[in-house]
Amino acid sequence: MSSSERDETVKITTEKAGGASAQKPRQVEIPPTIAVRQLAEMLDVTPVDAIKQLMRAGVMANINQAIDFKTASAVAAGFGVEAKLKHRPAAKAGRTAELKKQQKLAQGEQAAGLQLRPPVVTIMGHVDHGKTKLLDAIRQTNVVDKEAGGITQHIGAYQVDVNGQKVTFLDTPGHEAFTAMRARGAQVTDITILVIAADDGVMPQTLEAIDHARAAGVPIIVAINKIDKPGANPDRVKQQLAEAGLVVEEWGGEVIAVPVSAKEKRGIPQLLENIMLMAEMEELKADPSRPAEGTVIEAEMDRTRGALFTVLISSGTLKEGDVVVVGEMWGKVKAMFNDAGKRVKRATPSTPVEVLGLDIVPQVGDVMLEVADEKTAQAVIEKRRQSVAKEITAQKAVSLSNLYEQLSAGKVKELGIILKTDVQGSGEPIRNSLEKLSNDEVKVSIIHSGPGNVTESDVLLALASKGVIVGFNTGVETGAKRLAEREGISIRLYDIIYNLIEDVDKALKGMLEPTEVEVIDGHAEVRAVFPAGKKEKAAGIYVTEGKVMRGGSVRVMRGAQKIYESVVTSLRRFKQDVREVATGYECGVGVQGFNDFQVGDTLEFFHIEKSG
Ligand code: GDP
């Protein structure tokens, strides 16, 4: 430990302790068991400082390790904070309560007409761990509409009956779909079921799902699946969960874990009971007497019936004949069908219904609002259009180069980072160093960190959480790159840890310049070479991918070797000058200062953009 680091810790301790003599010491509620990382978050100190404090108390613990209340309170005391034991609370991420409050305010709910509503549940987990099988098992064991013989329609969600109470399950499992909805501003999920196969354990997508649920502030219940398999080892799953900061109840933590077998339909009632229990603790309420509001969770054009969409009602009651605005369209509810395909007249909060009544298919994530009449509908649409336009101009995605500007304008107070690294091991030291950069104005928090390339799911998470992506010794998947460009999400890649940390530090201080990135526009093959002018040569090319633009930059490649880099000076098709030529077409190009084309050369067209 360097002396400056020690000084810093001592300073924190004395500052907080100094304040304590004048006022009452700050109090935090700490659960019976807590991971070091979470404790550090609660105490507003970096995990490294928390670990140092633990070391002073003679406890060697890593960042993900769970420690008991006694040890946690000793650490807290070191920072001048008084720890109080928190009794059996709901298992949720730190930001949940605040988020829920905001959601309720946003929905404009008034306490008067509020009634309990069914919880809305999403299933997440690693591929092949049994998400789909579990959804099917739940559907078959507890169908609400028994008359329909248990045959359910696929409408994007379904409801099951648990001792007379309902639970709504979203039918699109996975955290990608969940975060894609969030990125569109729609958060419909109340509870996440994290499926982990007992024979496989916690896998990369399990960790990803945990981070996505946490970023959204949605509580997690773990379903340890495939317990029928000979290789099933639920205890190992629990151990791995603890390492990821989720300590199960029987080990003194807060996370409910239920062993199940989707195949043999074992443990399903226990899982449902626990969902109900958590729903009760969460006090999920809505007012059914208000005008209906909801989110589109599925939409399609049916050949015989026309535009159909499934809406999950969030508050109010939707009725046949109601006038609704969906996105920027309006219509009248002609007919509604439940998840059993049965026609219904009304849909109350947390109910999914398929609605017939729009001319055009809306988009998933669109908000549906019941209005009084056509005139109001048009006024609402006009207002939505204006606010969308305003949002587009006012809301810029956060990037490292505009962070300071957004900080100064008070638009952001937290820099959320998605960190991708080559191997799992390199994530931890980078995470620690980045979190240490937090200061009084801005908190640096790692929303997700994992090994591998930057994926679309990472970009969606950045979009939904207003975060940025940094990579160390890793690449970006093509789809992710495209999505990030379209949504203005900043991705910066590094191969030296020091540079990565320094850039984030500079960004926090407003000293980081935008980077220049090269964007590939297209590729072409040289198929012929012909004279153009006295000495100049032009190439007859075939555009194999993307496009070529006059004035754009070009690289001439022979095999894997770059032999020239310059600008496209002329671009012609059938003797006519053209501005650009797309994939699958032939054309003639002239490259400034270059006359040495050979048949078989490839051309790479690109331009430079300022980014992130
Ligand atoms: P998903 O990718 O998470 O949706 O996984 P699936 O639901 O498609 O399941 C993946 C595979 O695991 C399928 O072959 C399932 O039949 C199998 N599976 C799912 N649940 C269980 C279980 O409880 N026990 C056993 N033995 N196999 C299961």
Side-chain angles (χ1 to χ4, degrees):
M1 193 191 294
S2 75
S3 67
S4 68
E5 270 179 321
R6 193 175 297 128
D7 286 352
E8 200 181 301
T9 320
V10 172
K11 204 174 94 216
I12 295 172
T13 316
T14 47
E15 254 177 27
K16 299 219 167 148
S21 63
Q23 308 152 2
K24 273 180 81 180
R26 187 159 79 92
Q27 286 189 338
V28 291
E29 283 201 328
I30 295 176
T33 329
I34 187 168
V36 174
R37 187 202 309 287
Q38 282 162 339
L39 177 67
E41 257 172 41
M42 288 179 107
L43 296 174
D44 281 337
V45 299
T46 67
V48 173
D49 285 337
I51 289 170
K52 283 182 197 161
Q53 198 63 251
L54 274 164
M55 280 159 69
R56 269 178 221 132
V59 180
M60 301 300 285
N62 73 33
I63 188 165
N64 291 319
Q65 201 161 321
I67 54 171
D68 61 12
F69 176 74
K70 207 172 136 213
T71 317
S73 49
V75 174
F79 294 105
V81 180
E82 191 180 313
K84 280 181 65 183
L85 183 64
K86 186 179 178 189
H87 294 284
R88 186 62 191 95
K92 50 186 166 189
R95 281 189 279 172
T96 316
E98 186 57 26
L99 226 111
K100 288 266 155 68
K101 225 186 283 165
Q102 283 172 6
Q103 272 171 9
K104 280 182 188 158
L105 282 178
Q107 284 166 4
E109 297 285 18
Q110 281 145 15
L114 286 183
Q115 289 182 16
L116 285 174
R117 62 173 176 82
V120 179
V121 181
T122 298
I123 299 199
M124 296 184 192
H126 195 74
V127 65
D128 278 348
H129 278 198
K131 297 181 290 294
T132 315
K133 192 99 179 158
L134 184 62
L135 271 168
D136 287 345
I138 295 169
R139 186 182 345 225
Q140 282 160 22
T141 37
N142 293 59
V143 202
V144 169
D145 201 332
K146 293 247 164 51
E147 280 170 44
I151 301 161
T152 46
Q153 295 284 106
H154 180 91
I155 64 166
Y158 65 84
Q159 285 193 308
V160 298
D161 181 291
V162 184
N163 306 326
Q165 288 175 302
K166 287 176 186 167
V167 182
T168 306
F169 283 89
L170 289 174
D171 224 353
T172 329
H175 55 274
E176 292 86 355
F178 168 84
T179 299
M181 287 277 267
R182 250 183 14 100
R184 295 218 58 215
Q187 180 159 325
V188 296
T189 304
D190 301 309
I191 297 169
T192 297
I193 304 293
L194 181 66
V195 179
I196 306 172
D199 59 337
D200 204 21
V202 169
M203 296 303 274
Q205 286 169 32
T206 318
L207 294 172
E208 219 171 287
I210 294 173
D211 287 342
H212 281 235
R214 273 191 183 144
V218 174
I220 296 170
I221 296 178
V222 176
I224 303 181
N225 191 29
K226 305 199 187 183
I227 50 158
D228 58 284
K229 285 188 113 175
N233 187 351
D235 274 342
R236 189 175 62 123
V237 174
K238 289 174 197 166
Q239 177 62 44
Q240 292 170 329
L241 278 170
E243 279 160 22
L246 295 181
V247 183
V248 295
E249 278 186 320
E250 56 264 51
W251 291 4
E254 301 174 10
V255 177
I256 301 168
V258 188
V260 299
S261 163
K263 186 181 169 201
E264 297 182 351
K265 301 202 178 66
R266 272 160 63 193
I268 309 289
Q270 288 78 1
L271 182 63
L272 292 171
E273 259 164 41
N274 276 300
I275 294 173
M276 292 317 296
L277 206 75
M278 185 166 279
E280 234 166 73
M281 290 190 301
E282 293 283 301
E283 288 188 62
L284 307 168
K285 288 180 178 173
D287 182 352
S289 65
R290 287 164 47 94
E293 231 182 289
T295 307
V296 174
I297 55 168
E298 207 165 75
E300 60 164 358
M301 181 55 88
D302 185 274
R303 243 185 269 150
T304 49
R305 295 188 290 175
L308 281 171
F309 67 94
T310 302
V311 63
L312 183 65
I313 306 295
S314 56
S315 75
T317 301
L318 186 67
K319 299 168 290 297
E320 237 179 54
D322 281 348
V323 177
V324 290
V325 173
V326 185
E328 291 185 8
M329 291 171 270
W330 73 275
K332 209 175 213 175
V333 177
K334 285 197 203 114
M336 293 195 286
F337 306 88
N338 70 9
D339 52 0
K342 205 166 121 186
R343 190 149 175 189
V344 289
K345 300 265 182 228
R346 315 155 52 78
T348 50
S350 296
T351 309
V353 274
E354 196 175 37
V355 181
L356 194 62
L358 289 183
D359 297 328
I360 305 167
V361 182
Q363 279 184 49
V364 170
D366 275 350
V367 172
M368 183 211 73
L369 202 64
E370 178 197 338
V371 292
D373 48 32
E374 181 187 333
K375 219 172 114 195
T376 324
Q378 274 159 352
V380 169
I381 291 170
E382 188 47 39
K383 219 165 140 197
R384 274 193 185 175
R385 282 194 183 132
Q386 281 169 6
S387 68
V388 167
K390 230 188 267 162
E391 255 174 45
I392 288 169
T393 46
Q395 255 201 1
K396 243 203 282 177
V398 177
S399 72
L400 287 184
S401 52
N402 76 13
L403 176 68
Y404 192 72
E405 187 190 315
Q406 301 224 23
L407 283 172
S408 313
K411 283 184 187 149
V412 291
K413 292 215 159 45
E414 182 169 339
L415 173 63
I417 295 180
I418 290 149
L419 173 66
K420 296 305 290 265
T421 52
D422 48 351
V423 286
Q424 185 73 50
S426 54
E428 210 52 44
I430 302 178
R431 173 196 275 264
N432 290 341
S433 308
L434 286 176
E435 281 175 342
K436 257 204 218 161
L437 298 175
S438 299
N439 57 40
D440 290 346
E441 282 86 44
V442 57
K443 184 173 172 229
V444 178
S445 66
I446 310 297
I447 308 172
H448 170 63
S449 108
N453 283 341
V454 176
T455 62
E456 267 184 62
S457 146
D458 294 324
V459 178
L460 285 171
L461 184 60
L463 184 60
S465 312
K466 301 200 168 31
V468 301
I469 301 173
V470 292
F472 172 67
N473 272 345
T474 186
V476 183
E477 285 180 6
T478 323
K481 196 169 170 190
R482 229 176 281 135
L483 185 65
E485 275 168 15
R486 199 174 70 218
E487 300 292 348
I489 296 298
S490 156
I491 303 179
R492 283 193 184 227
L493 303 176
Y494 298 87
D495 49 16
I496 295 171
I497 295 185
Y498 175 80
N499 292 348
L500 187 161
I501 311 288
E502 193 187 46
D503 271 9
V504 175
D505 190 31
K506 274 190 187 161
L508 293 171
K509 294 176 180 143
M511 284 159 39
L512 189 70
E513 294 294 324
T515 47
E516 295 198 330
V517 292
E518 182 185 297
V519 181
I520 306 290
D521 299 315
H523 288 101
E525 249 171 53
V526 175
R527 295 203 162 165
V529 183
F530 48 86
K534 271 188 200 144
K535 278 189 250 146
E536 292 84 15
K537 291 263 169 59
I541 61 165
Y542 174 77
V543 185
T544 50
E545 192 200 345
K547 60 185 178 184
V548 41
M549 283 174 291
R550 180 151 42 95
S553 300
V554 59
R555 206 171 277 134
V556 184
M557 309 286 295
R558 191 156 296 157
Q561 210 185 350
K562 177 179 99 173
I563 55 170
Y564 204 76
E565 192 173 301
S566 181
V567 182
V568 175
T569 42
S570 73
L571 190 61
R572 308 190 101 190
R573 258 176 74 72
F574 300 114
K575 301 210 170 102
Q576 280 199 4
D577 283 323
V578 289
R579 226 175 246 283
E580 63 175 63
V581 177
T583 317
Y585 290 99
E586 292 195 328
C587 58
V589 291
V591 171
Q592 191 166 49
F594 187 74
N595 297 304
D596 185 28
F597 292 110
Q598 281 183 16
V599 172
D601 285 349
T602 51
L603 303 184
E604 182 166 72
F605 305 101
F606 65 96
H607 70 274
I608 303 291
E609 257 177 27
K610 284 205 187 297
S611 157

